[in-house]
Amino acid sequence: MVTATREFQVMVKPIGAVCNLDCGYCYYLGKKDLYPHAGAFRMADDLLESYIVQHIEAAPRESILFSWHGGEPTVLGLDYFRRIVELQRKHRPAGREILNGIQTNGTLLDEDWGRFLAAEKFYVGLSIDGPKELHDRYRVTKGEKTTHKQVLQAFRLLQQHRVSCDVLCVVHHHNVRQPTAVYRFFKDIGVEYLQFLPLVMRAADHGVSTETVPAEAYGTFLCTIFSEWIRHDIGRIGVQNFDEAARPFLGMEHALCVSRETCGDVVVVEHNGDMYSCDHFVDREHRLGNIRETPLVEMLESPALREFGRNKRDALPRYCRECEVLALCNGGCPKDRLARTPDGEAGLNYLCAGLKHFFSSSAPYLQRMAAFRQSGEPMERFMQLVRSEDAQAARQAGRNDLCPCGSGRKYKKCCLGKLSA
């Protein structure tokens, strides 16, 4: 049995791009066009078993993680996932642990799903874009019906069954303008772990779509939420973006592919067994093969995938290589490198201005927070210290000065009212 030489994640799509929703910004629905002659977008039983066996054999660590994606994987029905678990048990080597994660829009979850996900200890990623008016802007059904109520019910269901749930919020042109409302909505409903995914969509004219988040606004969005989180919510709410930004200060390598120096270890397996280099590069150019013909582990170790991963680093423009926050960003996801540097070189991340603003603003806090963690002092004391410094700075701040909290807004439009209340 041959195992992979590095850890990997497979975003397996047993139903391909099929989904019961028609989200206005979805980048994956169109991938159905790669399979114009597909009779059904459903991974066949024999292929499903073959994939599970190959994944287990390739996994280099004791814990083996399966990540079920789509489209919308719950469209396959609960019995399909019961079969998945049966096959995993059948082929699980003694002494090894199998973990499952599923990314869902939540609209098809019911009590039976809740009991199953809890019993089998699934990790669930649930997509919510904030309060109703912001979520429903794009996340609608094929009949253009809104979905916020259903998704909120799904979140409550997962809470009731004590299913581990991470909320994924796509940050788009509309909700980016209301960071405080978005963040406090998630706090109010009891979200414990949250990630913000910036929407960047290419347009036909080589620009970006109207739904795309403006780069500078995304930076302000993160800074505003970070300002509240660093003062009140460390240890209460986990925010993936902030956890990832903190890792270099803790002496840790980045965990997310978008932040690493190189990538290529998060691949896709489609419903028919085709394997691609990345979820954002599911196209003919980046097809690595098919697991019916070529073993999964062989494609994971292939020169093509290695080159794809190295290219993230090697294609960086000089402007990025000389940037003071390069270690925090590493150029971001290659799919977003649509812009040009100030000196005209191609390959700059569209989000650069916003990311640079966030990393530059948050770095001093993250550095101090890391020192607190390493000293063993409680994070509650760190938050108290930051709030105390705010109060001291506020006594010296003028109404039109930048707010001491670091939000980037004027003091009179930010914390003046809060501190005097």
Side-chain angles (χ1 to χ4, degrees), residues 287-299:
R287 181 181 178 273
L288 298 167
N290 188 290
I291 63 171
R292 285 194 186 274
E293 302 156 359
T294 308
L296 176 72
V297 69
E298 187 175 318
M299 288 186 280

Side-chain angles (χ1 to χ4, degrees), residues 152-418:
L152 200 53
Q153 288 173 342
F155 179 72
R156 297 297 187 202
L157 175 74
L158 296 170
Q159 282 183 314
Q160 290 164 12
H161 286 277
R162 298 183 179 179
V163 175
S164 178
C165 178
D166 299 347
V167 167
L168 187 155
C169 173
V170 174
V171 186
H172 51 70
H173 183 79
H174 294 280
N175 60 4
V176 74
R177 312 291 181 182
Q178 301 186 49
T180 301
V182 169
Y183 184 56
R184 291 185 181 172
F185 165 77
F186 291 128
K187 286 176 66 170
D188 290 345
I189 66 173
V191 170
E192 295 182 353
Y193 197 75
L194 178 62
Q195 57 178 300
F196 296 109
L197 183 67
L199 177 67
V200 180
M201 294 178 63
R202 293 174 185 256
D205 61 357
H206 303 293
V208 294
S209 69
T210 56
E211 300 92 347
T212 291
V213 61
E216 294 84 355
Y218 180 60
T220 301
F221 177 93
L222 289 179
C223 286
T224 303
I225 294 174
F226 181 81
S227 177
E228 182 162 339
W229 178 82
I230 202 76
R231 289 162 173 79
H232 303 285
D233 299 320
I234 302 174
R236 299 168 188 163
I237 299 176
V239 181
Q240 185 189 58
N241 310 67
F242 306 156
D243 291 347
E244 189 68 19
R247 291 179 74 89
F249 297 100
L250 292 164
M252 304 167 67
E253 292 185 2
H254 282 295
L256 297 179
C257 58
V258 295
S259 303
R260 291 178 190 157
E261 187 177 41
T262 61
C263 58
D265 50 9
V266 183
V267 297
V268 166
V269 170
E270 257 284 348
H271 71 288
N272 70 334
D274 282 347
M275 183 163 151
Y276 297 89
S277 300
C278 170
D279 188 50
H280 293 286
F281 291 87
V282 175
D283 52 42
R284 290 180 177 85
E285 179 185 352
H286 294 93
R287 181 181 178 273
L288 298 167
N290 188 290
I291 63 171
R292 285 194 186 274
E293 302 156 359
T294 308
L296 176 72
V297 69
E298 187 175 318
M299 288 186 280
L300 288 169
E301 300 291 325
S302 68
L305 185 58
R306 297 284 189 175
E307 182 182 4
F308 174 83
R310 287 193 303 268
N311 193 53
K312 182 189 179 192
R313 175 196 62 209
D314 297 345
L316 276 176
R318 182 171 60 86
Y319 180 80
C320 293
R321 295 196 302 271
E322 296 176 353
C323 180
E324 62 272 18
V325 297
L326 176 62
L328 302 178
C329 170
N330 282 306
C333 184
K335 79 175 181 67
D336 297 333
R337 295 181 183 179
L338 313 176
R340 289 186 176 273
T341 66
D343 58 2
E345 190 176 358
L348 182 68
N349 194 307
Y350 164 82
L351 295 167
C352 175
L355 292 174
K356 195 169 186 178
H357 174 45
F358 167 65
F359 289 132
S360 299
S361 300
S362 62
Y365 291 100
L366 293 172
Q367 191 166 30
R368 293 172 61 197
M369 186 177 76
F372 257 76
R373 287 193 190 281
Q374 290 165 340
S375 70
E377 292 197 62
M379 283 296 103
E380 183 60 44
R381 173 164 159 66
F382 175 74
M383 292 188 288
Q384 289 172 352
L385 180 62
V386 174
R387 294 195 299 268
S388 175
E389 291 170 352
D390 288 346
Q392 184 176 358
R395 287 192 287 271
Q396 303 171 4
R399 289 173 54 83
N400 292 311
D401 292 339
L402 288 177
C403 188
C405 79
S407 68
R409 292 181 291 171
K410 289 186 178 181
Y411 179 43
K412 66 183 179 183
K413 293 189 175 181
C414 191
C415 289
L416 176 60
K418 302 174 195 174

Side-chain angles (χ1 to χ4, degrees), residues 46-254:
D46 67 318
L47 180 58
L48 177 65
E49 183 165 15
S50 176
Y51 162 66
I52 288 172
V53 169
Q54 291 187 48
H55 187 123
I56 289 172
E57 290 180 347
R61 296 213 169 183
E62 293 297 310
S63 293
I64 306 165
L65 173 65
F66 286 84
S67 302
W68 305 97
H69 285 248
E72 174 50 44
T74 61
V75 169
L76 287 162
L78 185 50
D79 285 343
Y80 192 92
F81 281 85
R82 290 191 177 113
R83 177 62 177 158
I84 285 172
V85 172
E86 289 175 5
L87 290 170
Q88 289 173 335
R89 288 192 179 122
K90 175 182 174 182
H91 295 288
R92 180 179 66 86
R96 301 190 69 184
E97 176 186 34
I98 288 182
L99 306 171
N100 284 288
I102 184 171
Q103 183 65 41
T104 178
N105 60 45
T107 60
L108 300 178
L109 299 185
D110 58 17
E111 284 292 334
D112 288 341
W113 270 106
R115 285 190 289 270
F116 169 80
L117 294 169
E120 301 301 338
K121 296 181 172 57
F122 268 60
Y123 295 89
V124 176
L126 183 66
S127 297
I128 313 177
D129 287 355
K132 177 177 172 57
E133 64 276 12
L134 298 175
H135 173 94
D136 286 339
R137 183 84 190 196
Y138 294 119
R139 300 193 66 82
V140 296
T141 68
K142 304 291 187 188
E144 298 188 357
K145 294 183 178 179
T146 59
T147 63
H148 191 266
K149 181 178 179 180
Q150 292 170 275
V151 179
L152 200 53
Q153 288 173 342
F155 179 72
R156 297 297 187 202
L157 175 74
L158 296 170
Q159 282 183 314
Q160 290 164 12
H161 286 277
R162 298 183 179 179
V163 175
S164 178
C165 178
D166 299 347
V167 167
L168 187 155
C169 173
V170 174
V171 186
H172 51 70
H173 183 79
H174 294 280
N175 60 4
V176 74
R177 312 291 181 182
Q178 301 186 49
T180 301
V182 169
Y183 184 56
R184 291 185 181 172
F185 165 77
F186 291 128
K187 286 176 66 170
D188 290 345
I189 66 173
V191 170
E192 295 182 353
Y193 197 75
L194 178 62
Q195 57 178 300
F196 296 109
L197 183 67
L199 177 67
V200 180
M201 294 178 63
R202 293 174 185 256
D205 61 357
H206 303 293
V208 294
S209 69
T210 56
E211 300 92 347
T212 291
V213 61
E216 294 84 355
Y218 180 60
T220 301
F221 177 93
L222 289 179
C223 286
T224 303
I225 294 174
F226 181 81
S227 177
E228 182 162 339
W229 178 82
I230 202 76
R231 289 162 173 79
H232 303 285
D233 299 320
I234 302 174
R236 299 168 188 163
I237 299 176
V239 181
Q240 185 189 58
N241 310 67
F242 306 156
D243 291 347
E244 189 68 19
R247 291 179 74 89
F249 297 100
L250 292 164
M252 304 167 67
E253 292 185 2
H254 282 295

Side-chain angles (χ1 to χ4, degrees), residues 11-67:
M11 298 178 72
V12 58
K13 299 173 182 280
I15 198 166
V18 173
C19 186
N20 61 320
L21 299 189
D22 193 17
C23 300
Y25 54 59
C26 184
Y27 66 92
Y28 210 80
L29 290 177
K31 301 304 179 184
K32 286 189 291 186
D33 296 342
L34 289 170
Y35 303 99
H37 304 298
F41 286 87
R42 178 186 184 278
M43 185 174 281
D45 291 348
D46 67 318
L47 180 58
L48 177 65
E49 183 165 15
S50 176
Y51 162 66
I52 288 172
V53 169
Q54 291 187 48
H55 187 123
I56 289 172
E57 290 180 347
R61 296 213 169 183
E62 293 297 310
S63 293
I64 306 165
L65 173 65
F66 286 84
S67 302

